[in-house]
Amino acid sequence: METERIGETVQETINLTPGFSRPLMDWYQVHHRDLPFRRDREPYHIWVSEIMAQQTRIEAMVQYYDRFMTLFPTVQDLAAADEDTLHRAWQGLGYYSRVRNLQKAAQIVAREGMPRSKKELQTLPGIGPYTAGAIASISFGEKAAAVDGNVLRVFARLYDIREDVTKPAVKREIEARVLDAMIEPYGEFNQAIMELGALVCTPGTPDCAGCPVNQWCLAKDPASLPVLPEKKRKTEEEKTFLIYTDGYRMHLEKRPAKGLLAGLYGFPEGEVSKDTTGIHPLPRYDHVFTHKIWHISGWLVPVEQGAMAQMYTPEEIESVMAVPTAFQPLYKAACSLLAERIIGRKQDRAKTPG
């Protein structure tokens, strides 16, 4: 494909399918990973896997995918799930707005059926152009591009594109090049590009010697591509959380329905006076979100039994409640102290001889 830029416009002349398409597909047949969501073309399976993979490495994601499908084997099961069960199933994946949108879309699909085209799929909550292209091509055989970070990187290197790949005009150019290169089955072609980006044409220094399309690659310095915008500095916040405990249970409360970690269980924020007698400090740590960093400190605070509502044992918490990753170090440190009987349980100590 010949491309000329005039200002912000892109003029394209489509040529014959590039020579790398068939070697890429042949490589994929031999080297692709055996992943559970690749064993059929069920759109629900493809959909869930693509949403999970947005912020999680595939190898780490598979165990969550298997658990999720055990709990919600059909789109109807997902549509009917209660909020706590849904959040608990997603625990460990983070970015919980994804699973809330997933359920909203599942409720629409359960009523109206699954859209079959990329354009129609994008009308569902949480489904953007990439996910829609993946579902439409893999499940329904549509000639639809699925351009994610892997694809942007691979094609920026193949065509030595030295402009910011996040710019709309450059994304459109890469999508046009993907469509130009696509051969049937289209879904398998999309997966082949993604797999190449995940296994060979990786960020940083790619394995050019092991690349099946190396002879067609125009990149003079592939490690310098793709060009990306400078990352914005994350905002930083100091956070102090209090874990109230009666020695057996600890206090958890549901966070507001909107905002960061919405609808999940966490510990209340609070301040600690200069006199910290009787309370125990918990290890400090940082938790990094997409746009901010929390510098977290915590205290284990004893209370009398029955003095507070919403008290839960570790067994209750781990069986039914979704505690986000941001709070997990606090929770685990508190559990260790309770197991060691460091705090609370005054009645136990009173019965100890000597």
Side-chain angles (χ1 to χ4, degrees):
M1 179 178 70
E2 299 295 334
T3 302
E4 296 180 3
R5 288 189 179 78
I6 304 176
E8 287 298 315
T9 65
V10 176
Q11 292 184 340
E12 297 160 349
T13 302
I14 304 299
N15 296 326
L16 297 175
T17 301
F20 62 76
S21 299
R22 177 48 58 191
L24 172 65
M25 293 283 271
D26 292 342
W27 171 87
Y28 178 75
Q29 286 296 323
V30 175
H31 296 282
H32 72 273
R33 290 166 292 180
D34 179 23
L35 301 171
F37 40 85
R38 285 182 176 161
R39 294 169 190 164
D40 59 49
R41 296 192 300 169
E42 165 58 45
Y44 176 56
H45 297 166
I46 306 302
W47 176 18
V48 171
S49 70
E50 292 295 348
I51 298 297
M52 284 187 171
Q54 286 172 7
Q55 302 289 344
T56 310
R57 289 174 57 252
I58 293 292
E59 292 80 4
M61 180 267 278
V62 168
Q63 61 176 315
Y64 296 103
Y65 173 84
D66 288 339
R67 182 180 69 185
F68 198 87
M69 283 302 163
T70 299
L71 290 170
F72 314 117
T74 69
V75 71
Q76 289 79 13
D77 294 314
L78 175 57
D82 68 84
E83 183 180 63
D84 285 347
T85 301
L86 187 68
H87 287 165
R88 177 67 184 167
W90 202 260
Q91 185 171 316
L93 286 166
Y95 304 93
Y96 285 82
S97 61
R98 290 182 296 160
V99 75
R100 288 191 284 271
N101 280 330
L102 187 61
Q103 185 180 50
K104 289 176 184 176
Q107 290 166 345
I108 295 171
V109 171
R111 291 194 309 268
E112 302 175 10
M114 189 76 184
R116 298 178 64 88
S117 72
K118 180 176 180 178
K119 182 178 180 180
E120 292 171 331
L121 284 159
Q122 288 182 77
T123 65
L124 295 174
I127 295 186
Y130 162 72
T131 303
I135 299 169
S137 62
I138 297 169
S139 297
F140 303 118
E142 181 181 344
K143 187 176 183 180
V147 179
D148 69 347
N150 278 329
V151 177
L152 289 173
R153 182 171 62 256
V154 168
F155 272 73
R157 288 170 174 171
L158 273 172
Y159 291 95
D160 200 33
I161 297 172
R162 297 198 163 271
E163 296 180 72
D164 181 352
V165 296
T166 65
K167 289 184 176 179
V170 181
K171 275 189 172 182
R172 288 195 297 271
E173 177 188 344
I174 289 176
E175 181 170 349
R177 290 190 183 278
V178 172
L179 288 169
D180 182 21
M182 289 184 85
I183 58 177
E184 294 187 273
Y186 300 127
E188 192 167 293
F189 180 85
N190 278 332
Q191 291 180 91
I193 303 172
M194 297 175 211
E195 199 76 338
L196 187 71
L199 301 182
V200 177
C201 196
T202 54
T205 305
D207 177 18
C208 294
C211 180
V213 300
N214 186 32
Q215 71 183 88
W216 291 274
C217 185
L218 301 178
K220 301 174 182 64
D221 180 15
S224 67
L225 295 172
V227 176
L228 297 168
E230 185 177 347
K231 289 185 178 180
K232 293 182 179 179
R233 183 179 177 86
K234 297 177 187 290
T235 59
E236 301 185 36
E237 299 177 3
E238 292 286 339
K239 293 284 184 179
T240 300
F241 296 100
L242 305 179
I243 303 182
Y244 296 101
T245 180
D246 61 9
Y248 295 92
R249 302 173 298 166
M250 60 187 80
H251 173 72
L252 275 174
E253 57 188 27
K254 205 164 195 179
R255 293 176 64 83
K258 293 184 178 180
L260 198 57
L261 304 178
L264 305 175
Y265 287 93
F267 303 108
E269 288 189 62
E271 296 182 359
V272 177
S273 66
K274 292 182 179 179
D275 180 10
T276 57
T277 304
I279 65 177
H280 287 254
L282 300 172
R284 284 182 59 86
Y285 62 95
D286 294 338
H287 185 78
V288 181
F289 296 96
T290 306
H291 302 298
K292 65 177 59 181
I293 301 172
W294 280 1
H295 302 294
I296 296 173
S297 58
W299 295 82
L300 196 58
V301 182
V303 296
E304 296 294 332
Q305 288 191 25
M308 293 189 73
Q310 296 176 281
M311 301 286 283
Y312 309 96
T313 65
E315 292 76 16
E316 290 171 329
I317 292 169
E318 290 170 22
S319 64
V320 298
M321 304 174 83
V323 179
T325 304
F327 294 119
Q328 284 291 329
L330 286 180
Y331 169 71
K332 290 175 181 177
C335 286
S336 295
L337 289 175
L338 295 186
E340 296 169 14
R341 304 196 175 195
I342 297 297
I343 192 167
R345 305 194 182 195
K346 295 180 181 178
Q347 61 275 46
D348 286 0
R349 291 198 294 270
K351 295 177 182 178
T352 301

